[in-house]
Amino acid sequence: MVSDGRALATWLAARDDVALAATLAARAVPPSAAWHDFFDAAEGLLDAASLDRALTRLPRPALAALAGSPADHATTALLTRLALVDEAGSPYAAVAERVSHLLGAKPDAFVAAGAAPEPERADERAAAAAAERAFTTAGALADVLLAGLQAPLARTGTGTVSAVDRKRLVEAGAVATADELEDLLLSAEAAGLAGTVERTWIIREAGERWLASSTAERWQSIATGYRAALPAGLRTADGGFLPAARWPSTYPLDSEWPAEAARLRRTAVRWGLLDDSDAEPSWTGTLRAGGAADASALVAHLPAEIDRVYLQADLTAIAPGPLAPALDLRL
């Protein structure tokens, strides 16, 4: 009978470079790992500490599958890619042992989630408030991106914006809090508008184009990026995502997940995808079901954008409504 170590080493050796790199990255194997061959790699991946790290980051359906519940194709593929099950879909003995240990400590984590009820539909008033909040958030992100174009935003060792730049943006009225600033930059990163280089946030060309886009185009770009960047455990097979009520329990072994789930929900509220009670406007239902981001219903709740201003005798300008982003940017 072939040992688990040999079976895993053989499986690793048969992977192409891209697939092998994906497995090692997903298992958070450091570049400094002192492995000489695939047998060393197999031994390292089946080490108890390595397995515990991998199990901690698994979504609930994968944990339930390892505990014996039926698994769909996507879950089996995930467990296989993470080198937690063999080619027949059975957990390696070392994996089964760690699952048994964790099952005794946190049995609820290995229970498959039941079907979640459909989220409540936001009424007209709540939808209008969500649309207004999205509009305001888009304006705040525009201010942050403009500030980043003028002078790249510095990051601390923990990844947050430096105190100096944070204070500058708060005093300028671009954002109100540090959390808002971080949420906006992560939204921009998910949409490809900004990125990090060493200890600096830089604004990409897509970010400059976004600044000149209409409100509808701005929101669609952010909403599409937000959905694409959601953790795998929140995504559905049809390209959508789970209802927000399911998010907090998706990664039951990860102690950092509650804070991340709260951030994701907070960001969804900022961009008008949810209201304060987690009810969904119509545009969110379409996006959650895997459809394209369509801002037409959202924009219908907003005043029309104005493409001109009126000059007074003292040469001050008055806009009788929200300016079109391209004109606002030019001014």
Side-chain angles (χ1 to χ4, degrees), residues 122 126-145 174-175 179-194 207 210-211 213-230 241 247 262-276 278-285 287 293-299 301-302 305 325:
E132 179 64 27
R133 191 160 47 243
F135 176 79
T136 301
T137 302
L141 177 56
D143 289 341
V144 171
L145 295 182
V175 296
D179 281 345
E180 181 184 4
L181 176 57
E182 298 299 333
D183 290 349
L184 291 175
L185 286 170
L186 290 174
S187 293
E189 183 178 40
L193 312 181
W210 185 89
L211 284 168
S213 301
S214 67
T215 296
E217 292 170 330
R218 285 179 170 186
W219 182 85
Q220 286 167 181
S221 173
I222 292 292
T224 301
Y226 175 83
R227 180 176 62 183
L230 286 173
F241 53 90
W247 296 1
R263 184 193 69 79
L264 291 170
R265 180 193 173 277
R266 187 172 68 232
T267 301
V269 172
R270 290 192 193 283
W271 288 103
L273 294 170
L274 298 171
D275 70 9
D276 291 330
D278 288 348
E280 293 182 351
S282 59
W283 51 84
T284 303
L287 189 73
D294 183 358
S296 56
L298 181 146
V299 173
H301 288 284
L302 301 176
E305 293 176 348

Side-chain angles (χ1 to χ4, degrees), residues 9 12 27 34 68 114 131 146 165-166 172 187 191 246 280 293 317:
L12 292 170
R27 288 292 299 270
L146 282 170
D165 283 334
R166 185 168 64 245
S187 293
R246 290 273 295 276
E280 293 182 351

Side-chain angles (χ1 to χ4, degrees), residues 9-38:
T10 301
W11 181 82
L12 292 170
R15 308 282 279 171
D16 61 41
D17 290 346
V18 174
L20 180 60
T23 292
L24 297 181
R27 288 292 299 270
V29 176
S32 59
W35 296 346
H36 300 290
D37 54 33
F38 288 109

Side-chain angles (χ1 to χ4, degrees), residues 54-66:
L55 293 171
T56 295
R57 293 192 294 269
L58 284 182
R60 183 177 293 275
L63 292 173
L66 289 175

Side-chain angles (χ1 to χ4, degrees), residues 107-125:
D108 292 346
F110 294 84
V111 178
E118 281 293 301
E120 290 187 18
R121 182 77 170 266
D123 60 27
E124 196 70 10
R125 183 175 180 178

